[in-house]
Amino acid sequence: MRKIIAALIVSLDGYIEGPNGEIDWIDSWEDPSDITGQIDTCILGANMYPGYEQYWTAVHSAPGEPLPFSGKAATQGEVDYARFAMQTPHVVLSNNLQTATWPHTRIVRNLGAVATLKQQGGKDIHAVGGAALVSSLINAGLVDELRLVVVPILLGAGKPLFQGLLARHALHLVSATVLPHGHTKLVYTLSPASSPSAG
């Protein structure tokens, strides 16, 4: 069975956005988790999809121009990811979204469709985000691996990485790698949900 790998960038205190949605503390959206060679499908939540589409379309179309959200020009790694994304199937999990203009994108309505996708042949699947999607996939027992790139910054408040987890999950550390600029890549596998021990 193919794996679902959730790969996200997070602050040291566990946030993926600042209190007002700030993401200016993230230097680049290239592939710090080294995941593109391992996957052939990406899954996104409905809240993340519009910004994702806007950003990577801009990188692909005009990499030298100031980009949405960051105002910076694209890095070479971002250009490489944009090329990958333009030809890779994307699945958006949404109850309300009716259309998606990103190439090779389709909308599914429930986690059962994601479970079916996981049973099909192919490479692994990247759960891009956002936080609510990843938590929903974990709650459903669909995430096999968690890859976090931890940025050495304390945001103090914002959108937490995990929202709405329904149970305790033990993680097994596979690797920890120090990246440039003090970033750290952590790779975990997930164990089935467990309940706290009775006192």
Side-chain angles (χ1 to χ4, degrees), residues 150-152 178-184:
V150 182
V151 178
V178 177
L179 303 176
H181 311 296
H183 295 47
T184 305

Side-chain angles (χ1 to χ4, degrees), residues 152-163:
I153 188 171
L154 301 174
L155 298 180
K159 179 184 286 188
L161 172 59
F162 300 111
Q163 296 181 327

Side-chain angles (χ1 to χ4, degrees), residues 29 44 48-69 72 74 78-87 90 100-105:
W29 291 98
L44 300 93
M48 184 177 186
Y49 171 72
Y52 179 95
E53 177 190 312
Q54 179 186 5
Y55 188 82
W56 293 112
T57 298
V59 172
H60 189 265
S61 302
E65 298 296 320
L67 293 169
F69 312 116
K72 305 173 185 175
E78 288 178 314
V79 172
D80 293 342
Y81 184 86
R83 290 176 183 149
F84 169 82
M86 288 294 290
Q87 58 190 351
H90 284 64
T101 58
W102 186 264
H104 314 295
T105 299

Side-chain angles (χ1 to χ4, degrees), residues 73-131:
T75 66
Q76 183 57 53
E78 288 178 314
V79 172
D80 293 342
Y81 184 86
R83 290 176 183 149
F84 169 82
M86 288 294 290
Q87 58 190 351
T88 298
H90 284 64
V91 175
V92 182
L93 180 62
S94 173
N95 290 322
N96 302 312
L97 192 66
Q98 298 302 315
T99 59
T101 58
W102 186 264
H104 314 295
T105 299
R106 65 187 176 98
I107 300 167
V108 298
R109 299 301 182 195
N110 55 61
L111 290 170
V114 176
T116 298
L117 179 66
K118 188 175 178 182
Q119 297 286 341
Q120 296 171 356
K123 293 184 178 181
D124 293 332
I125 301 165
H126 177 200
V128 181

